[in-house]
Structure formats: structure tokens, C-alpha cells
Amino acid sequence: MSLLESLRSSSTRNPLIKEVKDFYRHLLSKGARILFSWVPSHVGITGNELADKSAKSATEFLTRPIVYADVRSAVNQWCHCQWQEKWNMETNNKLHVIKPVLSYWVTKLNRRCDVVLTRLRIGHTRLTHKYLLFAESPPTCSHCGDILTVKHILTDCVAVDRHRLRYFCSSSFDLSFLLGQIPHFNLFMYLKNIGVFHDI
């Protein structure tokens, strides 16, 4: 389908597409009638599978230089697959729970919210990790005495369960529910309500 769209486009810079278009116009000028048709899949259709096999075998003797954009796309895809494979093994990484599949983050319009969200996602905030700068002991929760972590603030501390119920309609969920690709729309209101937003 993308090939047909490229042939239809008037702004393509791909030299191979331009050559096909020129040849197409040449054939039309000779009175040929040509119909381009998109086939959903070659699998399971004998004629199409043979055509696909023939097309692939022809590339073995292709001397035409490869278009840079095509190479770049293939290399980017390969690199992304390699990166994803390595990331799949990082199950102990705090961020892996939140983002198991690599992709671009959705950014917020508000810079401050972006900063807070990023700190929560990586699990390092001023509130939970400032002690490292001053060689102090890790902070503890003023409500229950547990070590203060992002997970504790967002999902574990029973003292703020009622706030979770109010803003998230549940008091039992994992971090990906709040901090995933699209963060929960009440996340910042919750943080402000329990008084930690400006300490993140």
C-alpha cells in the first residue's frame, strides 16, 4: 500500500519511484493500459507467493544503489529491535515496570509537570533521594515509618488510601497505571492533595 501511495504522491524524492513513474508515463504514451492493484497479503495465494519469490530473487542481481532513506529506516528498525531485546531483560529496573515497550514518551504542556513525571518514572525525586547529597539516612514516611520511595507514596502508604480512592477510584494498582505511556489524568491533583507535589 505504501508503494502505491508513493507512486500517487507528487513530492517523492526516491529515485526508484521517479524511475517507475517515468517508465509508467512512457508505457502510457505507447498506448499501454496499466492497472496498479494492492494485494493485502501474499501468504496462502499461490500466484502471489510465486510473484513474491520471483521479485526477491531478482534483487540478488540488483546493481542499483540503495536509497539512503531506505537503509536508514532498516538500520533504525534493527537498532530499535536490539534495544528492545536488551530492555526486555532489564526486569529489575524500576522503569521497566512502567515502560516495558520502548517508544517516545508523551510530553505534558507544563514543564513543571514534565519534570515531576520524569522523576517519578525513574524513581528518583528530591523527596526520596535528597539524603544522598547530604550523606544522611534514607527518609521515612511520617505516617507509617516505612522507607520513603516513589512506590510507597503512589501505591503503598495506607495513610493516603482515601486519597487514592478519591482520585484513582481504587487503592490497589501498580505504577504503570499512574505513570505509564499516558499518565493518569488525576496524578498531579493527587500529589498536590497529599502535599508532596512541590517536593518531587
Side-chain angles (χ1 to χ4, degrees):
M1 180 63 81
S2 59
L3 175 59
L4 293 182
E5 289 172 349
S6 296
L7 289 171
R8 187 187 307 165
S9 172
S10 59
S11 60
T12 182
R13 292 185 294 178
N14 188 310
L16 186 57
I17 297 296
K18 288 181 178 179
E19 190 174 330
V20 170
K21 283 183 166 184
D22 289 342
F23 189 58
Y24 171 68
R25 283 190 285 268
H26 171 72
L27 291 175
L28 290 180
S29 70
K30 297 292 185 182
R33 296 179 62 190
I34 301 169
L35 174 66
F36 291 102
S37 178
W38 175 69
V39 179
S41 173
H42 286 186
V43 179
I45 304 174
T46 305
N48 288 344
E49 287 181 343
L50 289 172
D52 193 37
K53 186 176 180 181
S54 297
K56 286 179 180 176
S57 67
T59 62
E60 295 173 6
F61 309 100
L62 193 64
T63 57
R64 181 188 313 278
I66 301 173
V67 178
Y68 168 74
D70 294 341
V71 175
R72 183 179 61 183
S73 175
V75 169
N76 284 344
Q77 187 175 5
W78 181 85
C79 289
H80 189 274
C81 288
Q82 295 297 308
W83 186 15
Q84 182 66 59
E85 284 181 15
K86 290 184 182 298
W87 184 239
N88 289 343
M89 295 185 287
E90 296 290 334
T91 52
N92 291 326
N93 189 305
K94 287 177 282 191
L95 188 56
H96 189 275
V97 176
I98 299 165
K99 194 176 185 67
V101 178
L102 297 170
S103 61
Y104 287 107
W105 288 112
V106 175
T107 57
K108 308 293 286 182
L109 295 177
N110 184 305
R111 168 69 178 163
R112 176 60 187 156
C113 288
D114 259 343
V115 170
V116 169
L117 185 57
T118 299
R119 289 175 179 172
L120 291 172
R121 282 170 168 165
I122 64 175
H124 289 255
T125 71
R126 287 183 299 172
L127 184 62
T128 58
H129 286 77
K130 184 172 64 175
Y131 75 95
L132 294 172
L133 299 174
F134 301 100
E136 298 172 346
S137 298
T140 56
C141 177
S142 59
H143 300 294
C144 53
D146 288 351
I147 296 293
L148 199 59
T149 64
V150 167
K151 187 174 186 302
H152 183 79
I153 295 167
L154 295 179
T155 68
D156 295 348
C157 184
V158 294
V160 290
D161 266 353
R162 61 189 176 88
H163 297 290
R164 291 193 196 98
L165 284 169
R166 176 184 174 188
Y167 288 103
F168 310 128
C169 300
S170 174
S171 60
S172 179
F173 42 77
D174 60 23
L175 289 176
S176 62
F177 174 72
L178 300 180
L179 306 175
Q181 181 66 16
I182 300 176
H184 196 285
F185 58 90
N186 276 337
L187 174 65
F188 302 115
M189 290 297 296
Y190 165 77
L191 294 172
K192 289 174 182 177
N193 194 264
I194 64 173
V196 300
F197 180 83
H198 296 289
D199 296 321
I200 299 294

